[in-house]
């Protein structure tokens, strides 16, 4: 197993790409940089692309309902948002051509694109935007992601046919970012009016593809929208997509997915195992797209709400004791880069501080001694007043890939050297949430995907410690710092770029400096493509793939 | 008279033993099985005698090394020595296999005894209970138990034990019913022995012998089922080296590092084969008399 | 009597499942509102609890469920919002096809193996026994990975994911069938050995029957008997295995539905799957009973006496 | 030319030779019988003549010719051609000698299919013809039945038909009538006789001289794999040269009156040591008819549910068994004898009527109350082996029974050695398991167990029907002596008239659940009043030189 020879490929967004990037994928063969493939030739019309998804099958295709990543993956093919993002993080036009906030920041006027129709024939107009926002805010829709994103939106008024005014209850610097996400995408009012059951089966949007048939647990067929006319500003071409259709299959087992790609049974897979990405290096016919999700980085959160991590010295000791770099290299075969930030490297405002996370066993031991954890039991675990230094670590088998679980085992082993007893508990998703809601954890790792740095407010504002009625709370570190709260609140309502960036930087410094989390790497979001798939890229919003520009060569 | 008959018996008996089917020589396979089980016993009682290094020692830099003199079975994704982990996993794997089987057997025995002795009503009732347990797919029963009680080796063991219980119960009931209507139980009744005494002296001992053989098969099966639970992420918890968990964890790397699953897999298969062969050898001896 | 037994089994299965799922951590209302970890509002939660009768006492909910079941209504999936009966109706066919094919293949493999190896020289018998024991000890998930590595990635004979084509069924069926064949072959070998000791074998040979004829016309039937009666159990075992196999080969089916429903706490679906499997088991028990009686006239007489 | 010409046939398993040079010839229309006890090598000889001595067997011979063809070193293929076409084989008990899962028509068809190229219709006609020939009523119907669905006699006929399918010149019949009721046995023997009359040569193998004497032209007496006497049937039966032959003849109980020993004294100990007589005066049945019966059946009926109604296994049966007396109960299989035994033992309750023990309620008592009284009734079964816990040693079995006898009486339990001694077994047998004992020894252990509890009544259900004649003789003698010595009342159940006649003071003849005739033994057998009894007596095999 060659581990060292894999060129650590730079995420595409750091590479200066032409404004219109045809290929944002990295061809592994020969490891060329992510230049557009010269030999690919002209786009070919027709063909069906088979996509094998390892994410859970959505229970509802309408991303307004609930709102999770698997829904976003699919919805990106048939729904479109008001705005998008380009690779530099700039908000760019999509269904909205331009936008203007009022001076007090309490109203935003969006000018909509003209002549766009939903695939059921309904016109896209300001009234449709109002209906969509109303749908998101209606409890009966059972939206959670979109509902949160629309938290400060009071209502939408149709000023005229193509002008929609968002009326806010408070200034929201994250509004555009929120609206760029697939969970707030625009659907046909007529489609929504059919009722949840029908709309879940086949939502109607303005996108390049139309939901055809959904065979549960098997596949969703997406067929070409021949009348498509509304690509985002960074798309590669105009008019309808090249592909006839996409067959979107649900293949939960990673090894099977990879085997199917190798055998040519499918053209694109997501969530490949790191070792298979590395193995694909020797394979001329596979292409790797590395597209870290925006929002938070993958990190281990330390529960500061209760002993022993209510003591900052113990938190720091843990972070200094744990050694993960070698493990990340070995387990991810060079496909994941170590992160030292609370935010994804996809976020422009991410702030890193490597020095804070320098492993230092002696320092860790000293800190623990100082904190009073001086006794050791027969297993070498530290004790204080007869209590073992046990850290409960619930791990969701649905959210952590095997390599990550192995990494946690290494965390367990290295932390033990300092006298921590890390008790990893592998749980299914419901049990995992139950453990969190009951505060039965000292450390935990939970992904969170959102466009923009506002994710910090969701994850680290003390308001997020208060559980939702369902028991959910996002601030798993239970970070309760008025200074952080103030910084994040202010940043959220500051639309001036430099000031906003500075506020987020200060907040991140405080969060990282308090040793509330151990960043690991970006949320891994990879795709392997058969080399005959050309022109596929991921959206710079939440890194979902789009096949609007894609075609099948040969 | 008795001398004459005895002589004749000897002739009959030896003719029988020299016949085509039964031989008294221990088979080569039996010898191998005994040797393997002895090795397992050592690995269970004193694993540190046979392992080559600390099974939980992580060396990320040494990950995915193929089998060599330094690492007989290679190293795993965290650079741990697979051979040492296989050895270290013997105790917990066997514990899971044996205790799950014991739970299944014990429950099966209770149900079986109730069914065959509790009279018609109880027999019908227990029969239905067994049906109901059977009607639950084994893995679902296990899933329910695990989801209710939380994952881990103990619940996995209980879950597997529970799901094997109806099978054992049915066999035990069949055995007991057969033995109950046998002539020797009738002979004991004719002598005026009480049902309790008959149960203790005749029924249970005679029903348990074939069960023992069944159990030898069951141990391997229980390990395999526990492994399936590990695959679904519900079995042994890290860093415990348990064969099933190792098999499940290593499966991901099967194309690139097959040794991660081949060796724990061989241990499971080997244990099943060895215990089964031992069980069969013991039954053969039982059948041939001592 | 038979019908009463079946109804009892179904009732008990439904009851057990109902209460077992209530013990599971996780709120069914959350399952309805987008699964665990949902950030649903209080109003939404209250609304759902009212709509689904989750605010009622447990006993009332239980009785309501029984009342629905009696009318054949399995309820509506919390997560998928479709009627459970429709959902499972679509999945049953695939899983049953998989299980029945696997049962057949296992039967054929086991018969072939035991006929080939039984009553032969010790080496052949030992090889046969070794194959059986090994096959029976193979975990599905591992076997599946090996088969994919060999027959999909290596030889490119069969696709690794089943997309409804006959070729796609080969590997899943083999994965389920091989361990089962190991089991059945062990049972068949025992009865074959027994049958070969019987006087009627001597009679048949004395008529000039050769070894092959003996196996095909006589001993094969005797070997089949216990395997027939085991088929009900085997089908249940296969359905358990289907949970893993359907996941690996990405096949739609009851096993995968069940796994997903348990994860999502989708109570109506779990109950539905369990009831369906119980029904299949009950039907299968009757079928194997009839089949055993057809194959073995001695059972008919025993039943009569 | 003889059909079969064998000289110096030897069969060995490993280095253990079990047949030591047997020679015989059979001509067309001739019946040659091999007589001997279990383990005398007769069955192995029969199989060796078909090239089927078994895996691991080595067969050697100076000459082995079938229809003039030397087969001493024939290949399996050659043998297969011989089997079924030139030599037919009839085994004991068609229930297991015909495949229980196949219709008998198919079994009879097999030789036709294997050896002849015949169209199916012709084969079918041939099968029906064969079934008619062996006297099967309604051959069409019977051809579709499986062996388990036919009565013992009919399925034995089917087995014969399958052996005769290709009219082989030679038929080997290995114990063809063992385990059949006497009347059926008589009919099967007549059928074999017809076949022989038609010119087929028969090699008849049996342990029963009486069966052989009906049919055989020549008799070979074998013992331990050797022929010890060989001659015409007349010579062997009338003037046996060997003591062993004489013992065999003497052991046939048919016409030996009550009280005479059957076993030739050479192998029996002179006296049976044991506890002295219990003080009960020894009474023969005719002496003391006025003594109150120990066990009494009063109009007892017992039925079982069968499809389409109820089968009365025991129908209005009244019996009286007095102390010191033996009551013989005779009847064919299915006549209800065993149900009577189970009723007497209190293992099943009568539907109507009562069973009384020593004048007290027995059948009507709850089991709890009956249990302490159980030691007063002992039992001996046909299959002694299955009546012992396979895990127990003889010593444990006997000690267990002895502890019951002593319970509550204050007497010390009888010692195991004494019990063994009483039934003529050495003390070392106590350490062995019944599985490793011979049939005779097992039955002796069973008797010792029955006596260990010191019962007043002994129920013997077919106690000797699974034993060789000489062993049977020893067991019968033993039972007779013990009964007289202890003054036991004995209910002796058997299908074998000779045995019952030899053992019983009184006899009751049972048919279809009813007692059709009863009375003093000699009276019943000498002048049967009921036609069924008369038929039974007529069919009973006897030595007819």
């Amino acid at each position: 197993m060659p581990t060292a020879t894999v060129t650590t490929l730079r995420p595409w967004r750091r590479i200066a790409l032409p404004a219109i990037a045809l290929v944002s994928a990295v061809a592994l063969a020969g490891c060329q940089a992510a230049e557009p493939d010269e030999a690919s030739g002209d786009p070919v019309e027709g063909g069906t692309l088979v996509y094998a998804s390892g994410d859970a099958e959505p229970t509802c295709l309408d991303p307004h309902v609930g709102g999770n990543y698997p829904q976003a993956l699919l919805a990106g093919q048939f729904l479109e948002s008001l705005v998008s993002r380009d690779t530099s993080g700039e908000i760019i036009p999509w269904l909205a051509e331009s936008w203007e906030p009022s001076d007090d920041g309490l109203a935003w006027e969006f000018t909509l694109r003209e002549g766009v129709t939903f695939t059921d024939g309904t016109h896209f107009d300001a009234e449709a935007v109002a209906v969509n926002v109303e749908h998101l805010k209606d409890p009966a829709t059972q939206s959670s992601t979109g509902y949160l994103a629309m938290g400060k939106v009071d209502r939408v008024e149709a000023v005229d046919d193509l002008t929609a005014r968002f009326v806010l209850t408070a200034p929201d610097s994250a509004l555009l970012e929120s609206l760029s996400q697939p969970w707030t995408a625009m659907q046909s009012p007529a489609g929504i009016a059919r009722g949840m059951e029908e709309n879940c089966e086949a939502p109607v949007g303005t996108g390049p593809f139309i939901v055809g048939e959904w065979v549960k647990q098997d596949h969703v067929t997406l067929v070409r929208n021949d009348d498509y006319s509304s690509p985002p500003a960074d798309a590669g071409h105009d008019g309808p997509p090249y592909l006839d259709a996409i067959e979107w299959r649900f293949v939960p087992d990673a090894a099977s997915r990879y085997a199917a790609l190798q055998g040519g049974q499918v053209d694109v897979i997501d969530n490949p195992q790191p070792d298979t990405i590395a193995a694909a290096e020797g394979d001329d016919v596979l292409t790797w797209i590395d597209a870290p999700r925006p929002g938070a980085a993958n990190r281990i959160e330390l529960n500061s709400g209760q002993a022993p991590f209510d003591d900052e010295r113990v938190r720091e000791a843990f972070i200094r004791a744990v050694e993960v770099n070698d493990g990340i290299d070995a387990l991810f075969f060079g496909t994941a880069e170590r992160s030292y930030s609370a935010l994804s490297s996809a976020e422009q405002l991410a702030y890193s501080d490597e020095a804070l996370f320098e492993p230092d066993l002696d320092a860790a031991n000293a800190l623990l001694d100082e904190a009073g954890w001086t006794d050791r039991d027969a297993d070498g675990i530290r004790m204080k007043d007869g209590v073992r230094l046990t850290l409960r670590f619930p791990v969701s088998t649905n959210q952590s890939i095997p390599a990550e679980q192995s990494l946690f085992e290494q965390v367990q082993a290295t932390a033990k050297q300092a006298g921590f007893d890390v008790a990893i508990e592998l749980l299914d998703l419901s049990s995992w949430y139950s453990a969190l809601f009951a505060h039965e954890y000292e450390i935990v790792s939970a992904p969170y995907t959102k466009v923009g740095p506002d994710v910090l407010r969701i994850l680290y504002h003390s308001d997020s410690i208060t559980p939702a009625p369902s028991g959910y709370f996002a601030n798993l570190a239970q970070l309760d710092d008025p200074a952080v709260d103030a910084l994040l609140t202010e940043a959220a309502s500051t639309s001036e770029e430099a000031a906003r960036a500075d506020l987020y930087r200060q907040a991140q410094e405080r969060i990282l400096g308090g040793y509330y989390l151990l960043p690991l790497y970006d949320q891994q979001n990879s795709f392997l493509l058969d080399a005959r798939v050309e022109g596929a890229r991921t959206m710079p919003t939440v890194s979902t793939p789009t096949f609007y520009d894609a075609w099948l060569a040969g | 008279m008795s001398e004459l008959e005895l002589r004749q018996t000897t002739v009959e008996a030896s003719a029988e033993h020299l016949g085509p089917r039964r031989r008294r020589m221990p088979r080569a396979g039996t010898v191998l099985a005994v040797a393997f089980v002895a090795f397992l016993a050592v690995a269970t009682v004193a694993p540190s005698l046979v392992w080559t290094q600390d099974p939980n020692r992580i060396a990320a830099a040494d990950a995915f090394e193929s089998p060599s003199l330094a690492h007989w079975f290679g190293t795993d994704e965290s650079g741990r020595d697979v051979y040492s982990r296989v050895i270290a996993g013997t105790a917990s794997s066997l514990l899971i296999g044996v205790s799950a089987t014991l739970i299944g057997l014990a429950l099966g025995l209770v149900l079986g005894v109730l069914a065959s002795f509790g009279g018609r009503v109880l027999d019908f009732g227990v029969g239905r209970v067994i049906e109901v347990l059977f009607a639950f797919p084994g893995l679902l029963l296990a899933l329910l138990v695990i989801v209710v009680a939380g994952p881990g080796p103990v619940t996995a063991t209980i879950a597997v034990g529970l799901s094997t219980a109806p099978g054992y119960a049915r066999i035990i009931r069949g055995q007991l019913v057969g033995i109950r209507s046998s002539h020797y139980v009738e002979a004991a009744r004719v002598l005026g022995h009480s049902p309790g005494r008959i149960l203790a002296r005749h029924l249970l001992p005679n029903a348990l012998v074939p069960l023992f053989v069944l159990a030898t098969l069951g141990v391997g099966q229980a390990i395999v089922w526990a492994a399936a639970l590990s695959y679904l992420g519900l079995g042994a918890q890290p860093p415990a080296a348990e064969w099933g968990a190792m098999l499940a964890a290593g499966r991901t790397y099967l194309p690139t590092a097959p040794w991660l699953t081949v060796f724990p897999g061989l241990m499971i298969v080997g244990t099943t084969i060895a215990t089964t062969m031992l069980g069969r050898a013991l039954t053969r001896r039982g059948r041939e008399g001592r | 009597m038979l019908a009463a037994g079946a109804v009892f089994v179904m009732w008990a299965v439904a009851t057990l499942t109902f209460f077992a799922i209530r013990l599971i951590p996780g709120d069914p209302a959350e399952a309805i509102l987008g699964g665990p970890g949902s950030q649903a509002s209080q109003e939404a939660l209250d609304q759902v609890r009212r709509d689904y009768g989750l605010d009622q006492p447990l006993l009332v909910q239980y009785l309501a469920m029984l009342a629905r079941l009696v009318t054949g209504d399995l309820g509506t999936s919390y997560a998928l919002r479709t009627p459970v009966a429709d959902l499972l109706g679509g999945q049953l066919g695939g899983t049953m096809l998989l299980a029945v094919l696997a049962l057949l293949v296992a039967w054929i493999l086991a018969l072939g193996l035991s006929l080939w190896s039984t009553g032969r020289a010790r080496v052949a018998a030992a090889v046969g026994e070794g194959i059986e024991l090994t096959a029976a000890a193979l975990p599905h998930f591992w076997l599946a990975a090996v088969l994919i590595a060999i027959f999909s990635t290596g030889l490119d004979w069969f696709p690794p994911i089943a997309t409804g084509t006959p070729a796609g069924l080969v590997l899943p069926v083999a994965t389920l069938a091989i361990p089962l064949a190991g089991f059945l072959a062990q049972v068949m070998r025992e009865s074959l050995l027994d049958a070969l000791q019987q006087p009627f074998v001597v009679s048949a040979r004395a008529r000039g029957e050769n070894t092959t004829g003996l196996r095909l016309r006589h001993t094969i039937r005797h070997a089949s008997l216990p395997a027939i009666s085991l088929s009900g159990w085997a089908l249940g075992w296969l359905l358990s295995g289907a949970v893993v196999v359907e996941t690996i080969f990405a096949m739609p089916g009851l096993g995968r539905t069940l796994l997903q429903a348990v994860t999502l706490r989708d109570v109506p679906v779990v109950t539905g799957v369990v009831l369906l499997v119980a029904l299949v088991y009950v039907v299968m028990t009757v079928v194997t009973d009839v089949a055993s009686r057809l194959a073995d006239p001695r059972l008919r007489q025993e039943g009569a006496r | 030319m003889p059909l079969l010409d064998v000289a110096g046939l030897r069969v060995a398993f490993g280095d253990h030779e079990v047949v030591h040079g047997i020679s015989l010839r059979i001509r067309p229309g001739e019946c040659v019988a091999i007589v001997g006890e279990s383990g005398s090598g007769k069955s192995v000889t029969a199989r060796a003549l078909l090239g089927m001595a078994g895996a691991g067997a080595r067969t050697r011979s100076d000459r082995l010719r079938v229809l003039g063809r030397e087969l001493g070193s024939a290949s399996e293929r050659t043998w297969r051609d011989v089997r079924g076409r030139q030599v037919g084989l009839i085994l004991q008990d068609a229930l297991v000698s015909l495949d229980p899962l196949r219709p008998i028509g198919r079994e009879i068809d097999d030789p036709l299919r294997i050896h002849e190229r015949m169209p199916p219709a012709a084969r079918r006609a041939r099968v029906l013809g064969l079934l008619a020939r062996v006297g099967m009523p309604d051959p069409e119907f019977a051809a579709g039945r499986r062996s388990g669905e036919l009565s013992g006699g009919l399925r034995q006929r089917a087995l014969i038909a399958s052996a005769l399918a290709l009219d082989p010149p030679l038929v080997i019949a290995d114990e063809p009538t063992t385990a059949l009721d006497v009347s059926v046995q008589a009919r099967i023997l007549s059928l074999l006789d017809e076949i022989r009359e038609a010119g087929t040569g028969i090699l008849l193998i049996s342990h029963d001289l009486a069966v052989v004497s009906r049919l055989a032209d020549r008799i070979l007496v074998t013992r331990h794999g050797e022929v010890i006497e060989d001659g015409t049937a007349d010579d062997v039966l009338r003037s046996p040269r060997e003591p062993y032959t004489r013992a065999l003849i003497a052991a046939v109980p048919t016409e030996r009156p009550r009280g005479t020993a059957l076993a030739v004294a050479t192998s029996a100990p002179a006296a049976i040591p044991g506890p002295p007589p219990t003080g009960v005066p020894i009474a023969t049945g005719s002496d003391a008819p006025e003594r109150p019966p120990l066990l009494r059946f009063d109009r007892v009926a017992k039925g079982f549910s069968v499809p389409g109604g109820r089968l009365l296994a025991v129908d209005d049966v009244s019996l009286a068994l007095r102390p010191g007396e033996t009551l013989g109960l005779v009847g064919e299989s299915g006549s209800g004898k065993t149900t009577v035994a189970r009723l007497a033992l209190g293992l099943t309750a009568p539907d109507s009527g009562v069973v009384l023990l020593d004048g007290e309620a027995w059948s009507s008592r709850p089991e709890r109350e009956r249990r302490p009284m159980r030691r007063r009734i002992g039992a001996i079964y046909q299959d002694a082996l299955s009546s012992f816990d396979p895990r127990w040693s003889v010593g444990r079995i006997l000690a267990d029974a002895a502890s019951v006898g002593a319970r509550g009486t204050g007497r010390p339990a009888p010692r195991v050695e004494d019990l063994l001694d009483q039934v003529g077994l050495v003390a070392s047998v106590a350490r062995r398991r019944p599985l490793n004992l011979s049939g005779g020894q097992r039955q002796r252990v069973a008797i010792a167990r029955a006596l260990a509890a010191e019962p007043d009544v002994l129920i013997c259900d077919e106690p000797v029907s699974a034993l060789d004649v000489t062993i049977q003789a020893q067991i019968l003698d033993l039972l007779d002596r013990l009964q007289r010595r202890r003054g036991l009342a004995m209910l002796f159940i058997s299908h074998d008239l000779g045995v019952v006649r030899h053992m019983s003071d009184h006899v009751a003849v049972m048919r279809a659940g009813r007692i059709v005739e009863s009375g003093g033994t000699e009276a019943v057998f000498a002048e049967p009043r009921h036609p069924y009894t008369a038929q039974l007596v007529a069919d009973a095999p006897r030595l007819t030189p």
Side-chain angles (χ1 to χ4, degrees), chain D residues 53-136:
Chain D
R58 261 184 315 112
T59 308
R60 284 177 297 145
S61 56
D62 299 333
R63 188 162 65 239
L64 200 166
R65 286 189 191 151
V66 174
L67 304 179
R69 176 157 54 152
E70 172 62 40
L71 294 171
S73 53
S75 67
E76 174 69 14
R77 177 178 287 275
T78 311
W79 271 118
R80 281 210 297 270
D81 188 56
V82 170
R83 294 175 199 149
R85 182 204 288 280
Q86 293 170 350
V87 184
L89 176 68
I90 301 168
L91 289 174
Q92 168 184 356
D93 192 2
L95 181 62
V96 288
S97 296
L98 288 171
D99 190 332
L101 299 184
R102 296 177 84 210
I104 59 166
R106 299 274 298 280
E107 293 276 286
I108 298 168
D109 181 52
D110 273 351
L112 306 177
R113 180 181 48 73
I114 294 164
H115 294 291
E116 299 278 330
R117 286 176 193 277
M118 281 168 76
R123 297 206 321 240
R124 169 91 183 150
R126 182 76 172 271
V127 168
L128 297 181
L130 280 163
L131 282 169
R133 180 176 163 201
V134 296
M136 179 77 72

Side-chain angles (χ1 to χ4, degrees), chain D residues 49-357:
Chain D
L49 296 177
L50 284 162
M52 302 179 9
R58 261 184 315 112
T59 308
R60 284 177 297 145
S61 56
D62 299 333
R63 188 162 65 239
L64 200 166
R65 286 189 191 151
V66 174
L67 304 179
R69 176 157 54 152
E70 172 62 40
L71 294 171
S73 53
S75 67
E76 174 69 14
R77 177 178 287 275
T78 311
W79 271 118
R80 281 210 297 270
D81 188 56
V82 170
R83 294 175 199 149
R85 182 204 288 280
Q86 293 170 350
V87 184
L89 176 68
I90 301 168
L91 289 174
Q92 168 184 356
D93 192 2
L95 181 62
V96 288
S97 296
L98 288 171
D99 190 332
L101 299 184
R102 296 177 84 210
I104 59 166
R106 299 274 298 280
E107 293 276 286
I108 298 168
D109 181 52
D110 273 351
L112 306 177
R113 180 181 48 73
I114 294 164
H115 294 291
E116 299 278 330
R117 286 176 193 277
M118 281 168 76
R123 297 206 321 240
R124 169 91 183 150
R126 182 76 172 271
V127 168
L128 297 181
L130 280 163
L131 282 169
R133 180 176 163 201
V134 296
M136 179 77 72
D138 195 356
E140 282 278 353
F141 176 78
R145 301 303 99 199
R146 292 167 173 89
S147 61
E149 296 169 286
L150 295 172
S151 72
L154 291 185
R155 62 178 171 246
Q156 199 67 21
R157 281 166 197 266
L159 183 61
I160 292 173
S162 83
L164 295 181
L166 286 166
D167 263 329
L170 177 65
V171 167
I172 298 176
D174 188 357
E175 303 271 12
T177 62
T178 306
L180 295 177
D181 283 330
V182 279
S183 51
V184 180
Q185 181 175 351
R187 269 168 268 156
I188 295 294
L189 289 175
S190 320
L191 178 60
L192 288 175
D193 206 17
E194 283 168 33
I195 295 165
R196 189 193 51 164
E197 293 292 323
T200 308
I202 296 180
L203 176 61
L204 179 65
I205 289 166
S206 178
H207 70 281
D208 190 341
L209 265 179
V211 165
V212 161
S213 69
R214 283 271 302 264
L215 219 57
D217 300 307
R218 293 186 69 83
I219 294 178
L220 279 69
V221 180
T222 57
R223 194 180 188 203
H224 301 161
E226 263 173 305
V227 176
I228 57 165
E229 183 149 5
D230 178 2
T232 64
D234 272 5
D235 286 351
V236 171
L237 293 173
R238 278 182 213 272
S239 44
R241 293 190 311 271
E242 292 290 320
Y244 179 68
T245 315
R246 281 199 290 278
L248 278 183
I249 294 171
V252 177
T254 311
E255 278 146 66
R256 308 232 160 218
R258 178 114 175 79
T260 52
L262 295 168
V264 178
T266 53
S267 54
I272 296 173
T278 49
V280 180
I282 295 171
T284 57
S286 48
D287 287 349
E290 73 287 350
R291 289 171 59 86
L294 255 177
L295 184 70
R296 203 157 79 88
F297 275 54
D298 192 6
R299 311 203 63 167
V300 169
K302 174 75 185 173
F304 298 100
S305 303
V306 290
R310 218 169 148 71
L311 174 80
L312 266 186
V314 170
D315 185 4
D316 196 25
V317 164
S318 296
L319 292 170
L321 179 61
R322 293 170 207 284
E325 176 193 276
T326 301
L327 173 62
L329 185 63
V330 71
E332 303 199 323
S333 50
S335 59
K337 306 186 301 285
T338 294
T339 308
V340 168
R342 291 180 60 80
L343 285 163
L345 287 169
L347 292 171
T348 185
D351 297 337
S352 64
V354 287
V355 181
L356 301 174
L357 179 65

